[in-house]
């Protein structure tokens, strides 16, 4: 696997989990455990999805179009199924908040977007990965 991809996965995955844990601790302190649990489980599955994307992409390089399409279809089906787990858990169990699970699932994307916005607003002041 490409070292740049690994660094990005580590950077954004770590940031996502750290923010989710601190936000979860905040919600636990104010008595909102279901929100904390939903946010954390959503973030965990979001990071897992992000890592799986990086693992599958190199498999598609150098393959025929048909094989690459099959890998892509299988990968996205598996990853969407994986992301459905926290949503189903949050719908079935009162211990998890559905809205918080949704926010947790998109947390990696929000972290990446936020990182790029900060780099655009403050060029040269923030160290690159």
């Amino acid at each position: 696997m490409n070292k740049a991809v690994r660094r990005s996965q580590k950077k954004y995955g770590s940031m996502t989990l750290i923010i989710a844990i601190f936000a979860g601790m905040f919600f636990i302190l104010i008595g909102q455990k279901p929100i904390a649990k939903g946010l954390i489980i959503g973030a965990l599955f979001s990071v897992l999805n992000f890592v799986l994307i990086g693992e599958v992409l190199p498999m598609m390089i150098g393959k025929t179009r048909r094989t690459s399409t099959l890998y892509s279809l299988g990968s996205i089906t598996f990853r969407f199924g994986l992301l459905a787990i926290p949503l189903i858990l949050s719908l079935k169990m009162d211990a998890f908040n559905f809205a918080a699970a949704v926010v947790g699932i998109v947390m990696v994307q929000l972290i990446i977007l936020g990182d790029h916005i900060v780099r655009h607003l403050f060029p040269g002041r923030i160290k690159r990965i």
Side-chain angles (χ1 to χ4, degrees):
M1 162 117 8
N2 188 347
K3 289 183 182 183
V5 172
R6 287 265 188 222
R7 279 196 314 266
S8 294
Q9 288 175 336
K10 183 177 179 180
K11 175 185 176 183
Y12 294 125
S14 298
M15 286 173 65
T16 298
L17 291 177
I18 288 169
I19 290 171
I21 289 169
F22 279 111
M25 287 190 317
F26 170 75
F27 283 114
I28 288 172
L29 288 175
I30 64 171
Q32 298 294 325
K33 285 185 182 179
I35 294 175
K37 290 178 183 180
L39 187 65
I40 291 171
I41 195 170
L44 284 171
F45 277 86
S46 180
V47 170
L48 180 60
N49 180 50
F50 186 58
V51 170
L52 287 174
I53 290 171
E55 294 294 326
V56 172
L57 282 177
M59 290 182 194
M60 291 185 256
I61 296 173
K63 306 287 186 200
T64 64
R65 183 175 179 172
R66 180 178 171 92
T67 306
S68 181
T69 301
L70 288 174
Y71 271 124
S72 297
L73 185 60
S75 169
I76 201 163
T77 302
F78 177 74
R79 290 185 301 106
F80 280 178
L82 192 68
L83 290 176
I85 293 170
L87 295 176
I88 292 169
L89 283 174
S90 66
L91 286 173
K92 296 282 184 183
M93 301 173 70
D94 291 335
F96 300 102
N97 181 281
F98 181 76
V102 170
V103 170
I105 286 173
V106 298
M107 194 172 258
V108 169
Q109 292 85 353
L110 293 173
I111 297 295
I112 293 170
L113 181 63
D115 183 55
H116 286 288
I117 289 171
V118 168
R119 288 184 191 283
H120 180 71
L121 293 176
F122 305 104
R125 293 186 181 201
I126 299 174
K127 188 175 141 184
R128 295 233 178 242
I129 58 169

